[in-house]
Amino acid sequence: MFAEFLYVCRDKGLKISMTEWITFMDALDKGLAHSSLEGFYNLGRMILVKTESDFDKFDIAFMEYFKNIKMGEELPADIMKFLDKGDMDTSNLNKDVYSFDTTRDMEETKRMFRERITEQKEEHNGGNYWIGTSGGSAFGHNGRNPGGLRVSGKTGMRSAFQVMGERKYADFRHDKTLDIRQFQVAFRKLRQFSTKLEVPRTELDLDKTIDSTCNNGGYLKLEFDKPRKNSVKLLLLFDCGGTMLPFSELCNDLFQAVHKANHFKDVKTYYFHNCIYSKVYKDAECEMGDWVDLDYIFKHTDKDYKVIIVGDAQMAPEELFDLNGNYRGPNDGRSGYEWNKLFRSKYKKAIWLNPRFHGSLNQLGWMESERTLAEIYDMFPLTVDGLKDGIKKLMAPR
């Protein structure tokens, strides 16, 4: 039973073992879902989902499998029409009619809902009994009943029993592309503290203070040390324009996160279009002439810089290999491939974050440029897990 649901879950990325599936089937057989779709959902998520990052995958699988199942009774068309017509002005409503019954359980609410469907003949707003809007009734939307069943509309006080299809757990996914908050959290791990600074000893060393105080017969003796500072120096390069246009906002979030994280010893940012050649640009416009020689960067950023390159690695073959001299970019006699090899030899700690990352490059003959660059750099997807793994690579001893 429900074998197809198992395959739908696996198709959405859920890793469900046969032991877990058999446990779920046994639980259903014992009636633990209480013969309700909501019970099936809660029981399935509890048994089949191992981490909150997979909640969204389970929601997608559940909605796809049960998309043709009717959730309870259908409302008459005339009631649905006024429920969907938009929000109403509630400023003049009598707030005394609002009921706040928090003791009513789900089954009682559903029973009352079925009764209202058979009784109701017209539109109701601001009351506490009928299916309506902006009141204290347990049925409708934009109301104030914390024990209600939302019907159409947008959620009011976020306390209804059922809010279907909202994908509330999308932000928990580890394969989700990043936003600025997630970037900031990830970059906190890009720290390498050092006390080798020519500064006064102004930071209290608690461990040494305790030892010195004990050795001083219990009389307080404060010990200070040089403040530790993050010694990480960061070089950022962004691919701009062309196929990277859909990811411009994402790249801007990463840029903002780095520059708001003021704990780095130094941050330098440059731009390129499709491929790194003999010159990189000073800003994202990538205008001809507004660039910096790569040799200049080599001289002014030592090998201790950690490098993050952001790009989709998609380009024509001649842009990377300069086939037959067809590409006339700022290459100064070297192909894009040669410049990237030279760049990689200069910086041992360099990763490439790819928003279009393809895991099975050996099966994609047309992705020759991505495959080639992935052989030069350690390439990761621009996702939560991808950035986490990339930073781990940057901070590894070797």
Side-chain angles (χ1 to χ4, degrees):
M1 185 181 294
F2 297 112
E4 186 179 346
F5 181 61
L6 170 62
Y7 295 123
V8 172
C9 288
R10 286 180 170 177
D11 182 62
K12 302 307 176 187
L14 287 170
K15 296 179 180 179
I16 301 174
S17 68
M18 287 310 301
T19 300
E20 292 164 340
W21 183 252
I22 292 172
T23 301
F24 180 45
M25 291 295 101
D26 288 342
L28 289 176
D29 188 56
K30 289 179 170 60
L32 299 183
H34 305 293
S35 300
S36 74
L37 202 57
E38 183 179 7
F40 183 98
Y41 170 85
N42 291 329
L43 186 66
R45 199 179 76 174
M46 179 176 63
I47 296 175
L48 303 177
V49 182
K50 305 176 184 65
T51 172
E52 65 274 7
S53 63
D54 286 340
F55 282 174
D56 186 57
K57 298 175 184 177
F58 185 77
D59 283 359
I60 294 174
F62 185 86
M63 286 187 290
E64 178 174 318
Y65 183 77
F66 291 104
K67 60 185 176 183
N68 294 321
I69 302 296
K70 296 179 180 179
M71 292 293 294
E73 288 74 7
E74 292 187 1
L75 284 171
D78 56 342
I79 295 180
M80 285 301 300
K81 184 177 180 180
F82 88 76
L83 286 174
D84 288 336
K85 74 177 183 180
D87 299 340
M88 63 171 288
D89 181 11
T90 62
S91 58
N92 296 320
L93 291 178
N94 180 7
K95 302 300 188 298
D96 293 335
V97 302
Y98 293 149
S99 62
F100 294 86
D101 189 349
T102 60
T103 61
R104 186 188 304 119
D105 63 20
M106 183 58 171
E107 293 306 316
E108 175 65 11
T109 301
K110 287 180 177 179
R111 184 192 63 76
M112 294 169 61
F113 181 56
R114 289 191 290 268
E115 290 179 356
R116 299 299 185 275
I117 291 176
T118 60
E119 298 173 356
Q120 187 161 339
K121 305 299 180 184
E122 58 186 11
E123 175 179 342
H124 288 274
N125 299 296
N128 66 347
Y129 183 83
W130 298 107
I131 301 170
T133 66
S134 306
S137 171
F139 324 104
H141 64 84
N142 290 337
R144 298 170 177 264
N145 194 314
L149 177 65
R150 198 194 78 177
V151 184
S152 186
K154 298 180 180 179
T155 303
M157 296 178 67
R158 313 298 302 167
S159 59
F161 281 124
Q162 300 170 333
V163 183
M164 303 304 292
E166 287 190 329
R167 296 190 58 191
K168 297 181 293 183
Y169 302 101
D171 288 339
F172 287 72
R173 295 179 68 119
H174 283 178
D175 58 352
K176 177 182 179 291
T177 52
L178 295 155
D179 57 28
I180 190 168
R181 180 187 62 82
Q182 293 165 319
F183 276 129
Q184 290 174 321
V185 172
F187 279 123
R188 289 174 188 169
K189 299 179 180 178
L190 197 56
R191 294 179 177 180
Q192 186 171 301
F193 292 108
S194 174
T195 57
K196 297 179 180 179
L197 304 171
E198 295 301 324
V199 294
R201 296 177 179 270
T202 57
E203 187 173 276
L204 179 66
D205 189 322
L206 186 57
D207 290 337
K208 288 183 179 180
T209 295
I210 293 173
D211 289 341
S212 297
T213 299
C214 291
N215 294 332
N216 197 35
Y219 288 97
L220 180 63
K221 184 178 181 181
L222 299 177
E223 297 285 354
F224 295 89
D225 203 347
K226 295 179 181 179
R228 299 194 312 158
K229 298 292 184 181
N230 187 7
S231 61
V232 169
K233 295 176 288 185
L234 194 59
L235 177 60
L236 288 172
L237 292 102
F238 290 96
D239 182 5
C240 294
T243 55
M244 281 296 292
L245 283 176
F247 307 104
S248 57
E249 184 175 348
L250 184 63
C251 291
N252 182 63
D253 286 345
L254 188 150
F255 177 87
Q256 295 294 332
V258 169
H259 286 272
K260 287 181 179 180
N262 54 11
H263 53 263
F264 294 113
K265 186 175 181 180
D266 187 34
V267 177
K268 298 185 185 300
T269 307
Y270 297 99
Y271 305 86
F272 64 96
H273 179 59
N274 286 355
C275 187
I276 297 174
Y277 299 107
S278 64
K279 304 177 190 301
V280 290
Y281 298 90
K282 296 179 182 179
D283 58 47
E285 297 298 325
C286 294
E287 294 184 357
M288 189 74 68
D290 190 20
W291 51 36
V292 177
D293 288 331
L294 213 55
D295 287 336
Y296 175 88
I297 293 178
F298 288 162
K299 291 177 182 178
H300 291 83
T301 55
D302 56 45
K303 60 182 178 60
D304 293 331
Y305 273 78
K306 301 185 188 300
V307 179
I308 298 178
I309 304 171
V310 183
D312 61 5
Q314 292 189 10
M315 64 199 76
E318 58 267 24
E319 294 184 76
L320 188 58
F321 299 106
D322 195 27
L323 300 178
N324 302 319
N326 291 328
Y327 184 68
R328 297 290 186 266
N331 52 21
D332 290 0
R334 290 190 176 99
S335 67
Y337 175 79
E338 291 171 325
W339 277 112
N340 278 275
K341 289 284 287 186
L342 180 62
F343 187 90
R344 188 67 175 87
S345 67
K346 169 69 175 179
Y347 303 103
K348 302 302 181 184
K349 295 290 186 180
I351 63 170
W352 189 298
L353 298 177
N354 190 339
R356 299 184 191 268
F357 183 77
H358 299 84
S360 302
L361 291 174
N362 58 330
Q363 300 176 11
L364 300 172
W366 57 274
M367 287 302 302
E368 185 176 2
S369 59
E370 183 176 338
R371 182 189 300 107
T372 300
L373 290 169
E375 292 172 354
I376 300 175
Y377 302 96
D378 294 301
M379 188 174 289
F380 302 90
L382 191 51
T383 61
V384 177
D385 283 345
L387 182 58
K388 180 176 65 176
D389 293 339
I391 288 180
K392 186 184 299 182
K393 186 70 177 181
L394 288 177
M395 299 305 295
R398 293 186 179 180

